[in-house]
Amino acid sequence: MSTTTPGLDEIGQIAITVSDVARATAFYRDVLGLKFLFSAGPNLAFLAAGTVRIMLTTPQGHGEVGKNSVLYYKVADIATVHAAVVARGAANERAPQLTAKMPDHDLWMAFVRDPDGNLIGLMSEVR
């Protein structure tokens, strides 16, 4: 008998409910710079954020546009990335700021919104 407890590992996919998949795909691909993977019809698109797959979908009996959980993306240079995504069309919610001083790093956060109002967090662990 195994002494390890079965559990979750890393996130494999995150679904984001949007009003217009084509418009959201352009935003997540062109503004945030995620890699486009494929579409599955007009109401489903997949992109890659590192090893995590992002699924863009219209409400299909679940979810509500603009009221999803916050996605936090790790970035190396938060000021540069924040400025770049805002310049490319993301709505600025909060400029980069120090959130917490940890024992081995400072945690910086910034926030933008996609075209449907979904909050997107940018986080950087500065050592």
Side-chain angles (χ1 to χ4, degrees), residues 16-73:
I16 302 173
T17 306
V18 299
S19 61
D20 181 314
V21 171
R23 180 179 73 167
T25 299
F27 176 85
Y28 282 82
R29 180 192 60 224
D30 302 337
V31 175
L32 296 184
L34 300 184
K35 179 183 176 190
F36 176 77
L37 298 175
F38 63 94
S39 290
N43 294 320
L44 207 54
F46 296 87
L47 298 102
T51 61
V52 177
R53 191 168 52 209
I54 303 297
M55 179 182 83
L56 302 174
T57 182
T58 55
Q60 297 174 19
H62 66 293
E64 187 177 342
V65 171
K67 298 198 177 179
N68 290 301
S69 300
V70 179
L71 300 177
Y72 291 85
Y73 294 92

Side-chain angles (χ1 to χ4, degrees), residues 1-7:
M1 183 169 151
S2 174
T3 58
T4 60
T5 303

